[in-house]
């Protein structure tokens, strides 16, 4: 019985590597398919990089066009010097400016429609 078990074990151990061997043609085909897959992945990665760079260039060009089409900013006029600070740190408004401001407020509030 032991001899039979040893014989079966030996034949199964030897049969495993023999059936697992692949022919040289199959190995070449697998290598070729692997190389084609790697080339395809590289091609896709390069195309993605190219598309990214193209989109960036187009965005920058559109920004430059937009900035060129915008009117130049208007310089802001300095505010009229109507208030000054006194020695105590309080603001002082000249009487003429205060009277003109009050007159404008009265005109607006009295002309209700």
């Amino acid at each position: 019985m032991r001899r039979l078990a040893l014989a079966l074990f030996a034949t199964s151990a030897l049969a495993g590597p023999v059936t697992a061997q692949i022919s040289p043609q199959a190995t070449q085909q697998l290598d070729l398919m692997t190389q084609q897959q790697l080339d395809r992945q590289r091609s896709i990665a390069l195309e993605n990089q190219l598309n990214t760079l193209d989109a960036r260039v187009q965005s920058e060009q559109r920004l430059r066009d937009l900035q060129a089409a915008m009117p130049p900013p208007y310089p802001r006029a300095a505010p009229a010097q109507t208030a000054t600070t006194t020695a105590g740190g309080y603001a002082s408004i000249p009487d003429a400016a205060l009277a003109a401001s009050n007159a404008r407020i009265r005109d607006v509030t009295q002309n209700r429609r």
Side-chain angles (χ1 to χ4, degrees), residues 57-76:
V57 167
Q58 287 180 2
S59 296
E60 290 174 358
Q61 180 64 39
R62 288 183 182 135
L63 282 174
R64 275 189 249 116
D65 292 345
L66 183 63
Q67 289 173 348
M70 293 174 71
Y74 295 104
R76 292 188 178 185

Side-chain angles (χ1 to χ4, degrees), residues 13-110:
L14 292 175
V18 171
T19 57
Q21 289 181 355
I22 300 174
S23 69
Q25 290 176 343
T27 304
Q28 288 177 352
Q29 286 179 348
L30 286 174
D31 289 344
L32 181 62
M33 287 173 37
T34 303
Q35 186 62 38
Q36 288 175 344
Q37 184 66 24
L38 289 173
D39 289 342
R40 191 174 305 122
Q41 289 175 354
R42 281 188 205 114
S43 173
I44 291 170
L46 288 173
E47 187 175 348
N48 286 342
Q49 288 178 350
L50 182 63
N51 288 339
T52 301
L53 290 173
D54 187 40
R56 185 178 298 153
V57 167
Q58 287 180 2
S59 296
E60 290 174 358
Q61 180 64 39
R62 288 183 182 135
L63 282 174
R64 275 189 249 116
D65 292 345
L66 183 63
Q67 289 173 348
M70 293 174 71
Y74 295 104
R76 292 188 178 185
Q81 192 111 24
T82 57
T84 58
T85 52
T86 60
Y90 297 108
S92 172
I93 301 174
D95 291 335
L98 188 58
S101 175
N102 285 339
R104 285 192 301 269
I105 296 295
R106 284 190 193 119
D107 288 340
V108 170
T109 56
Q110 289 176 0

